[in-house]
Amino acid sequence: MASIDLALSEEQRALRAGVLEICKRYPGEYWRDLDARREYPEKFVTELTEAGYLAALIPQEYGGAGLGIGEGGLILESINYSGGNAGACHAQMYIMGTVLRHGSEAQKREYLPKIATGALRLQAFGVTEPNSGSDTTKLQTTAIRTGDRYVVNGQKIFISRVLQSDLMLLLARTTPVDRVKRKTDGLSVFLIDIRDLKGFEVRPLRMMMNHSTNALFFDNVEIPVESLIGEEGRGFHYILDGMNAERILVASDSLGDARWFIEKAVAYSNQRVIFGRPIGANQGVQFAIARAHISTDAAQLMRDKAAALFDAGQPCGGEANMAKYLGAEAAWEAGNACIDCHGGYGYAEEYDVERKFRECRLYKTAPVNNNLVLAYVGEHVLGMPRSY
Ligand SMILES: Cc1cc2nc3c(=O)[nH]c(=O)nc-3n(C[C@H](O)[C@H](O)[C@H](O)COP(=O)(O)OP(=O)(O)OC[C@H]3O[C@@H](n4cnc5c(N)ncnc54)[C@H](O)[C@@H]3O)c2cc1C
């Protein structure tokens, strides 16, 4: 049976302290400046990679630290708690799982050690399309086998970190949907080298927050057959397999955000004096922050439960989804309490509150929107009819 430790172990405390030490060198000014210019935190990601933190989940035999998802989550949570944005690098942790579980030994030996050292970056994951959105099995990008190549045609939207990545995990249809038994069949996943790929166009999108997000266009892009991960036509199932890790890690991003907001809100409310007393003495201010703290602690318990189950190899679909939902909602609640108690200053860039407010909002929508999490829980946890 999996069990949850309510306190961090000595190793986990050291891990957290190590990450926070790096984060100290990247204060609010660093993230604020990049946010204004919509530039990637290259220096921060490089330092984190060189220190081995982004290889936490890669097994030791492939050059990583061989840690569990609980530790992966702790790393991301610490980055966001420090005021930074782990969204710049979190994807490598969950994308890599698909290669690890379903890649051939040759692919693992070829890529994982290089990803571990930072010689190669795998930060891009191409799933979403303009015409299919959350309905992934309807995606229209095709990869057609011709000899020793696949020829890829189609479009993707909102694909992050493509210009900062060497490799991308791509989901494309290899068998038309009308020729498969189930619509979840006939999709395949590829690990492709996107450096100097002919026919591949990347158009950066200016988003609400600094997330290096793009529209992608594939025009007869040729990729070698060796890029296929696992069996042709099984891609959707492989991606699904990685969803629990993704949910737990994203919940961790949100928990870090929530803790940052709460700490900021408490400090500000205790020192800001209006009407002759600290604003935090007003229930209207204090209770909103206390409620956000309660939501955050509850979300953390669910994240820890999901991580413990995941690391023990037990089913955790319900818990991982609930953790992602609770985390995103707790961060949003904490963000609102924090921006409210800061009054006008909450909107001033130099306080970082408005930046974190924009950043934390994403996780209610991506990588899966919270409505679809509710649909998952309704159908798979509670046994209700499929709602879509
Ligand atoms: C900044 C950013 C970065 C992203 N990065 C990536 C990335 O790197 N790779 C990638 O593949 N994708 C990425 N995405 C895409 C993201 O995962 C999608 O936006 C998301 O999955 C929803 O797809 P959609 O935007 O087409 O919304 P739609 O599918 O059109 O849904 C719109 C809204 O309708 C509601 N809805 C839809 N269907 C249902 C239903 N059945 N029941 C109830 N409500 C429903 C939901 O509230 C949903 O938010 C990113 C998005 C953003 C904003």
Side-chain angles (χ1 to χ4, degrees):
M1 274 296 282
S3 64
I4 314 175
D5 281 324
L6 292 176
L8 294 181
S9 67
E10 209 172 298
E11 291 77 16
Q12 288 169 329
R13 279 204 303 275
L15 182 72
R16 186 171 193 273
V19 177
L20 290 176
E21 194 54 40
I22 291 182
C23 293
K24 261 197 220 150
R25 293 195 277 282
Y26 300 89
E29 293 86 332
Y30 173 78
W31 296 98
R32 213 180 301 144
D33 172 53
L34 293 173
D35 178 66
R37 293 188 285 121
R38 291 294 193 273
E39 281 196 4
Y40 190 72
E42 190 61 49
K43 195 161 178 276
F44 172 74
V45 174
T46 301
E47 184 166 352
L48 207 66
T49 307
E50 283 171 358
Y53 292 114
L54 292 186
L57 303 185
I58 297 179
Q60 286 177 345
E61 58 175 311
Y62 301 110
L67 298 173
I69 202 86
E71 282 75 21
L74 190 61
I75 293 168
L76 301 179
E77 181 184 336
S78 305
I79 296 168
N80 280 19
Y81 166 69
S82 78
N85 184 4
C89 50
H90 61 185
Q92 185 151 300
M93 284 198 191
Y94 50 78
I95 301 174
M96 187 272 303
T98 303
V99 183
L100 190 61
R101 276 188 301 277
H102 305 289
S104 65
E105 193 51 39
Q107 285 168 326
K108 288 189 242 182
R109 298 244 162 257
E110 163 81 15
Y111 293 112
L112 294 178
K114 290 184 190 144
I115 294 171
T117 61
L120 285 178
R121 260 198 206 150
L122 170 59
Q123 290 286 4
F125 189 21
V127 176
T128 306
E129 296 192 4
N131 296 328
S132 52
S134 311
D135 195 358
T136 305
T137 59
K138 300 258 174 65
L139 62 75
Q140 295 167 341
T141 295
T142 54
I144 306 299
R145 175 123 190 212
T146 348
D148 62 350
R149 328 235 99 205
Y150 280 93
V151 180
V152 183
N153 279 291
Q155 281 183 42
K156 298 274 174 190
I157 188 86
F158 304 136
I159 309 305
S160 304
R161 301 162 299 268
V162 178
L163 293 172
Q164 294 78 21
S165 202
D166 304 303
L167 307 170
M168 173 165 70
L169 205 66
L170 173 75
L171 189 66
R173 190 157 273 291
T174 38
T175 310
V177 75
D178 55 5
R179 298 221 327 255
V180 288
K181 255 202 232 134
R182 291 172 306 174
K183 60 185 183 173
T184 50
D185 294 336
L187 291 164
S188 300
V189 72
F190 299 90
L191 180 63
I192 58 176
D193 192 324
I194 50 177
R195 294 168 295 180
D196 306 320
L197 201 55
K198 250 183 87 199
F200 178 54
E201 192 194 337
V202 183
R203 278 191 216 154
L205 300 168
R206 191 166 171 102
M207 305 296 282
M208 184 170 92
M209 78 298 287
N210 187 17
H211 209 82
S212 318
T213 300
N214 311 277
L216 309 183
F217 300 85
F218 297 85
D219 181 12
N220 286 321
V221 173
E222 293 190 5
I223 53 173
V225 283
E226 293 78 30
S227 344
L228 178 71
I229 298 278
E231 256 178 72
E232 189 183 289
R234 300 279 306 151
F236 185 75
H237 307 277
Y238 300 159
I239 299 280
L240 270 191
D241 236 22
M243 295 283 178
N244 290 337
E246 182 187 82
R247 309 278 193 264
I248 296 168
L249 292 170
V250 167
S252 305
D253 287 336
S254 294
L255 284 173
D257 284 335
R259 299 276 182 220
W260 183 90
F261 284 127
I262 291 165
E263 215 171 275
K264 274 260 177 202
V266 168
Y268 189 79
S269 307
N270 283 345
Q271 61 86 19
R272 173 75 168 164
V273 175
I274 293 293
F275 296 112
R277 58 188 192 152
I279 56 168
N282 300 300
Q283 291 182 348
V285 174
Q286 187 182 108
F287 288 8
I289 302 169
R291 260 197 301 273
H293 173 73
I294 293 169
S295 301
T296 304
D297 263 11
Q300 182 172 341
L301 283 172
M302 186 57 77
R303 189 279 312 265
D304 290 350
K305 180 179 178 188
L309 289 167
F310 185 98
D311 283 335
Q314 292 177 19
C316 65
E319 288 79 2
N321 274 280
M322 290 190 277
K324 186 270 171 190
Y325 178 97
L326 290 170
E329 297 295 339
W332 184 233
E333 188 177 354
N336 275 292
C338 189
I339 208 162
D340 279 340
C341 80
H342 276 79
Y345 300 93
Y347 298 81
E349 286 183 357
E350 66 182 282
Y351 282 72
D352 290 318
V353 174
E354 62 82 34
R355 172 178 61 81
K356 292 286 278 182
F357 188 72
R358 288 183 279 115
E359 286 169 1
C360 84
R361 184 59 175 80
L362 176 63
Y363 300 122
K364 276 164 68 76
T365 304
V368 60
N369 70 74
N370 271 0
N371 270 356
L372 287 190
V373 172
L374 293 173
Y376 178 93
V377 172
E379 183 183 347
H380 298 284
V381 179
L382 302 177
M384 296 168 79
R386 189 172 173 82
S387 63
Y388 59 94

